[in-house]
Amino acid sequence: MAPVVNARLPESGKSTVYDTSETIDPENVVLNGGFLVKLLDISVDPFIRGRMRRPPPGSQPLIPRFEVGKPLNGYAVGVVLRSEFAGVKAGDHVEGILPFMNYIIKQDLVGHLRVLDNGYNIPWTTYLGVLGMPGKTAYCGWKEYSHAKKGQTVFVTTAAGAVGSLVVQLAKLDGLKVIASAGSDQKVNFLKEIGADVAFNYKTTSTTEVLIDVSKDSDALLLSRYWDHVGGEALDAALEAAKPRAQFIECGMASGYANNGYSQVNKLFLVIPKCINLQGFNYNGAQLEQKYREEFMTFVAPLVASGRIKYREAVWNGMETFCDALVGVLQGTNEGKAVVHVADDTMTPITNGRLLFHSIPEGLPEPGRTTIYDTTELIDLDALELEGGFLLKTLELSVDPYMRGRMYESDGQSYVPSFVVGQPLNGYGVAVVIRSENSEVKVGDHVHGFIDHAQYSIKQSFEGLEILENRFNLPWSTFLGALGSAGKTAFMAWKEFSKAKQGETVFISTGAGAVGSLVIQMAKRDGLKVIASAGSDTKVQYMRELGADVAFNYKTTNTSAVLSKEGPIDIYWDNVGGETLDAALDAAKSRARFIECGMTVEYTEGKNVPVKNLLQVIIKSISLNGFIVSLLEPKWNQEFLRTVPPLVASGELKHKQEIFDGLDKVGHALAAVLSGKTIGKAVVHVGDD
C-alpha cells in the first residue's frame, strides 16, 4: 500500500495495490504448529480510512496504522483448510482480524479471532455485519450507555449503515421514538421499513430543521438520546435539540475521515448548560465484547435468524475491489453492511491423482502399461459428500511383492482380491483424516490400513483401518515398514512358528528386504546362528551390519553349497520359493520349522515354479507353515506394540527404507522390488502431512 498523507479519499491502485506476486501451495505449506485459513469475506468499515494516516508524533493510536508495503488487515471471515493447532480443526470457520490475503497461516487465536458456531445456518457475511463487529458495536454501546426508557426520543445518524440500522431496531424494541437520517431516498425507505418514526435524507433536508419541527409538537420529543456516527454539523444540530441531561453516544465521526481526521464541532459548549453526558466508546477498547458476548448472541442471533431484526448487505466481488468498496462506504453510497466477497466456502476443485490397474502383465509389471497414472478426476475437498464417512489424504503407500499376485484375473482362491482393470490399486498405506462424519475418527487422525492408491479417498467404515499412535514421533513411513505390515509379519510369524532355541541355525532368504532384515535381528536376539541370502553385494554388506553370521549373494554363490557348509538348518524363513526352497529342504534337520512368508519367484516369472524336494517334509518330519499376518494379529498385536516400537525408536532394531516420490512412481517402485533392486522397505511418498 502506498503512503497516504493528503488524499481526501483512498484511490484504488494508488492508496492500495492488489498484488498477485506471492504463490502458495495450500496442501503442502509448512504450518509450524499453526493453521491455514482461506479468506472468504472481508468487512469494509469507515475506521479503515483512519488507519491510512501517519499518527501524530508521540501518539499511540488505539488501532495500529497500516504499514506501507504490507497487506491491509481487518475484520474478516475465513475457513480453516488445515490445522496443527489444538484450538481449531479443518472445516472450522473463524472471524476476527485477519490479513487481506487469499490464504493466511495463523499460529494461534489472537487478534479477536474466534471459531464461529453457525447454529442458525445463516450466511457467513452476517458475522461481519449484524452478528459481527458492527452488530456488537450497536448492541454493546446501546446496552452500556443509552440507559433508555420507554417513550424517550433518540436521533440516529447514518442510520441505514451496518451499526445504525441495528440501533434503530434496538431502540424500537425498547419503546423509543426514533428519528433517523441517511444520505439517499432509497436509504430513507429502508429506515421506514425497519421502524424509524421519522426518517429523512440529510442531503436534501436540513437536520436542524427536522429536529426543530419534531420538538415543536411536544417537549417530550426533545432529544433524550443521540447516537452519533458523523460528528460535525449533525452533532451541532443534536446539541441544540437535546434535552437537559441528554445522553450522547459517540460511535464515529465520519465527517472527519475524509478531512484529515478532523470533525469540526461548533456548539460543544452546550454540554455545560444542558448537563449533557457525551460518551465516546470503542467497542474493542472498552472491553464491552467480554461483558455482553453471551447476551448478544442469545438475544440478537435468534432475531436475525427469524427475520425480526432486518439487515442489508452491499457485497463487492473480488479482493481487488476493496478500495472501491471503502470509497463507497466513505461517500455513503452503500446501503447496509459493505462486504468484499473474496472466495466461496469451497475449495477450487483440484486434481485427484490415481494409479489405475490397466492390464494384466505377463512377467514383471510395466509402468505405463500395467499401471497408468491418471489425473482426469477432479475433487472439491470442501464440498465432497461424505455420506457419514471420512475423507483421507494419502501420505505414504507400501510397495510389496504380493501386489504382483493381485495382477491376475480373479479365481476366487486368493486371500486378497485381484486388482480390477480400470480401477485404482489399493494396499497398505498411511493417510490423514481431513474431514469426517464418522464418530470413530476425527480430523487430524492418522490411519493405517488398506487404502486406494489415490491422493484423496473416501472411506465409509473403519473396517481394515487402525488409528496410529505415534508416541515416539517417528516418520509415518515407519508404520509401513518396521512398525507396519512388514514388521508385524516378521515379529508375529517368528513368535508363532519359529520355536527358536539358542544355538540353533536359521536360513533367511531375501534377508535385506523389509521383512527378512527384521527376521535376521530377531533371530540374533534369540541367540541363533543366522545364514542370510540376498541378490547383490551391497545387500550382503547390509545383512552383515544387521548381524548375519553368514551372508551371501545367491546370484554369484550357490545356495546349496553354502547350506551344505554352514548347515544343517533348524529353521527356514522363506520369501522366495523355487530352487531356494528345494535347497533348504535338502539342508534341513529332522523336525525343522519352515515359515513360508512368500514366493517371489512365482511373482517375477509369472507362473508356478515347481518344488522338487517336498518329499523331505515327510522324511524329516518338517513343519512347513504358510500364514497370513492378519490372522496372527489378535494373538500377537499387543506384544508387538509393547516390544517393537521402543526398539525401533532407540535404534536397537535397524531398518532401511527406499522412498519413491510421487504417486506416479508406484509402478516403478513395484518393478524395482520384484527385480530385487531395493534394500529394506519400499515406500511411495504421496503427500506431506
Side-chain angles (χ1 to χ4, degrees):
M1 188 189 69
V4 178
V5 180
N6 294 319
R8 299 185 67 82
L9 286 172
E11 296 180 58
S12 182
K14 295 180 67 176
S15 302
T16 60
V17 176
Y18 181 60
D19 174 62
T20 59
S21 63
E22 182 177 283
T23 59
I24 186 172
D25 183 348
E27 293 183 58
N28 297 314
V29 64
V30 177
L31 301 183
N32 291 323
F35 53 99
L36 178 66
V37 177
K38 174 186 174 183
L39 202 65
L40 302 181
D41 298 288
I42 295 172
S43 178
V44 185
D45 303 293
F47 76 85
I48 289 175
R49 177 62 182 88
R51 299 182 64 193
M52 292 178 171
R53 295 188 180 89
R54 290 177 179 150
S59 69
Q60 292 291 329
L62 181 63
I63 304 177
R65 300 297 197 253
F66 296 128
E67 293 184 49
V68 173
K70 300 291 186 181
L72 277 67
N73 59 64
Y75 286 97
V77 169
V79 61
V80 178
L81 300 183
R82 295 168 49 215
S83 179
E84 297 173 356
F85 181 69
V88 295
K89 62 183 183 300
D92 279 347
H93 289 75
V94 294
E95 181 265 338
I97 303 292
L98 291 169
F100 294 168
M101 305 165 64
N102 290 108
Y103 299 95
I104 309 115
I105 295 175
K106 298 288 288 183
Q107 294 304 316
D108 49 33
L109 289 170
V110 296
H112 305 284
L113 206 60
R114 63 183 178 127
V115 176
L116 295 175
D117 179 10
N118 194 357
Y120 293 99
N121 197 30
I122 52 184
W124 295 113
T125 51
T126 312
Y127 290 91
L128 296 177
V130 68
L131 292 184
M133 186 271 290
K136 292 177 182 178
T137 298
Y139 185 85
C140 298
W142 182 257
K143 288 293 182 180
E144 183 76 6
Y145 302 118
S146 72
H147 310 297
K149 296 180 177 65
K150 187 175 182 179
Q152 293 178 329
T153 299
V154 62
F155 174 34
V156 183
T157 54
T158 319
V163 176
S165 59
L166 183 54
V167 173
V168 169
Q169 296 173 84
L170 291 173
K172 291 306 296 180
L173 288 170
D174 284 342
L176 278 71
K177 177 169 182 177
V178 176
I179 306 167
S181 66
S184 72
D185 292 341
Q186 184 177 359
K187 293 181 180 181
V188 168
N189 289 333
F190 174 53
L191 294 178
K192 293 175 180 176
E193 291 176 15
I194 63 176
D197 300 280
V198 178
F200 67 96
N201 182 346
Y202 71 86
K203 292 182 178 179
T204 58
T205 305
S206 166
T207 300
T208 300
E209 291 179 5
V210 170
L211 297 181
I212 290 174
D213 288 343
V214 170
S215 64
K216 282 180 181 178
D217 297 334
S218 168
D219 286 346
L221 297 178
L222 289 170
L223 293 186
S224 302
R225 302 291 181 265
Y226 174 46
W227 186 285
D228 188 15
H229 278 120
V230 295
E233 294 178 358
L235 177 55
D236 280 336
L239 287 164
E240 284 191 302
K243 273 186 175 184
R245 300 185 185 280
Q247 184 75 23
F248 277 39
I249 306 171
E250 295 298 318
C251 182
M253 293 200 176
S255 62
Y257 295 148
N259 190 31
N260 291 322
Y262 299 107
S263 179
Q264 183 170 317
V265 181
N266 296 317
K267 298 187 178 181
L268 190 62
F269 67 91
L270 290 173
V271 302
I272 299 173
K274 294 189 176 187
C275 297
I276 292 171
N277 179 22
L278 190 148
Q279 177 67 55
F281 81 99
N282 177 279
Y283 157 69
N284 294 320
Q287 297 181 329
L288 297 179
E289 198 269 345
Q290 292 183 9
K291 181 176 180 179
Y292 289 102
R293 178 187 300 157
E294 291 187 12
E295 181 182 327
F296 169 77
M297 291 305 297
T298 301
F299 181 77
V300 178
L303 295 176
V304 172
S306 67
R308 289 184 61 195
I309 284 183
K310 298 177 175 61
Y311 67 97
R312 290 189 179 180
E313 294 177 341
V315 179
W316 300 68
N317 279 304
M319 195 185 299
E320 66 276 12
T321 67
F322 176 82
C323 193
D324 295 326
L326 179 59
V327 171
V329 169
L330 296 175
Q331 291 180 329
T333 59
N334 68 297
E335 183 177 334
K337 176 60 193 170
V339 175
V340 171
H341 178 63
V342 178
D344 293 332
D345 188 20
T346 58
M347 284 282 286
T348 303
I350 61 173
T351 298
N352 185 28
R354 303 178 300 161
L355 192 78
L356 305 181
F357 184 42
H358 184 63
S359 64
I360 297 173
E362 294 183 1
L364 287 176
E366 297 180 55
R369 294 185 62 184
T370 308
T371 56
I372 292 179
Y373 181 61
D374 173 67
T375 58
T376 60
E377 181 176 274
L378 296 178
I379 188 171
D380 186 332
L381 300 180
D382 286 334
L384 193 64
E385 294 291 336
L386 301 184
E387 298 180 348
F390 48 97
L391 179 62
L392 297 176
K393 176 185 177 183
T394 304
L395 303 180
E396 317 285 348
L397 289 172
S398 177
V399 181
D400 303 292
Y402 81 90
M403 294 168 64
R404 175 62 182 85
R406 300 182 63 192
M407 293 179 172
Y408 297 104
E409 290 186 12
S410 178
D411 57 7
Q413 297 181 10
S414 175
Y415 67 96
V416 184
S418 296
F419 297 128
V420 179
V421 172
Q423 296 297 316
L425 276 67
N426 56 55
Y428 286 106
V430 172
V432 60
V433 179
I434 58 176
R435 287 177 55 208
S436 177
E437 296 175 357
N438 185 303
S439 60
E440 294 185 81
V441 290
K442 64 182 185 298
V443 173
D445 280 345
H446 289 76
V447 299
H448 167 265
F450 252 53
I451 59 176
D452 286 345
H453 285 195
Q455 290 174 305
Y456 300 93
S457 57
I458 295 175
K459 301 288 283 187
Q460 292 303 321
S461 74
F462 204 61
E463 184 179 357
L465 297 174
E466 63 175 335
I467 296 176
L468 295 175
E469 293 185 12
N470 194 354
R471 54 195 172 108
F472 295 103
N473 198 30
L474 296 166
W476 293 113
S477 56
T478 312
F479 292 90
L480 297 177
L483 298 185
S485 60
K488 290 180 178 181
T489 297
F491 180 87
M492 295 178 184
W494 182 257
K495 289 290 185 181
E496 180 75 12
F497 301 117
S498 72
K499 298 179 176 59
K501 299 178 182 66
Q502 187 172 354
E504 290 187 323
T505 299
V506 59
F507 172 40
I508 303 165
S509 58
T510 318
V515 175
S517 60
L518 297 174
V519 176
I520 288 174
Q521 296 173 81
M522 285 186 287
K524 290 305 297 178
R525 293 176 68 87
D526 284 345
L528 277 71
K529 175 182 176 179
V530 174
I531 307 168
S533 66
S536 74
D537 293 341
T538 302
K539 294 180 180 181
V540 168
Q541 180 58 37
Y542 175 52
M543 292 188 295
R544 288 173 179 155
E545 293 172 7
L546 297 177
D549 301 279
V550 178
F552 66 96
N553 182 344
Y554 71 87
K555 292 182 179 179
T556 59
T557 305
N558 183 272
T559 301
S560 294
V562 172
L563 296 181
S564 176
K565 177 182 177 182
E566 302 292 344
I569 61 175
D570 299 279
I571 304 168
Y572 174 46
W573 185 286
D574 188 13
N575 281 311
V576 294
E579 293 180 356
T580 307
L581 176 55
D582 276 332
L585 287 165
D586 272 342
K589 281 186 180 179
S590 176
R591 301 187 183 279
R593 287 86 69 196
F594 276 42
I595 306 171
E596 296 300 316
C597 182
M599 294 193 177
T600 57
V601 66
E602 298 198 4
Y603 303 150
T604 55
E605 296 189 18
K607 61 182 180 180
N608 291 331
V609 178
V611 177
K612 300 175 182 178
N613 288 341
L614 198 59
L615 182 62
Q616 297 294 329
V617 170
I618 299 172
I619 296 172
K620 297 181 179 180
S621 298
I622 292 172
S623 174
L624 189 149
N625 294 281
F627 71 95
I628 300 171
V629 69
S630 60
L631 300 179
L632 300 178
E633 284 197 59
K635 179 177 180 180
W636 294 103
N637 197 51
Q638 289 304 311
E639 184 173 343
F640 172 81
L641 293 175
R642 286 194 304 270
T643 305
V644 179
L647 295 174
V648 172
S650 68
E652 291 181 68
L653 197 61
K654 297 178 176 61
H655 65 105
K656 278 191 178 183
Q657 295 180 337
E658 189 152 339
I659 307 294
F660 294 77
D661 197 24
L663 182 59
D664 57 320
K665 298 299 192 296
V666 170
H668 300 80
L670 180 58
V673 168
L674 294 175
S675 57
K677 296 178 180 178
T678 57
I679 298 179
K681 177 62 191 168
V683 174
V684 171
H685 176 67
V686 179
D688 293 331
D689 188 12

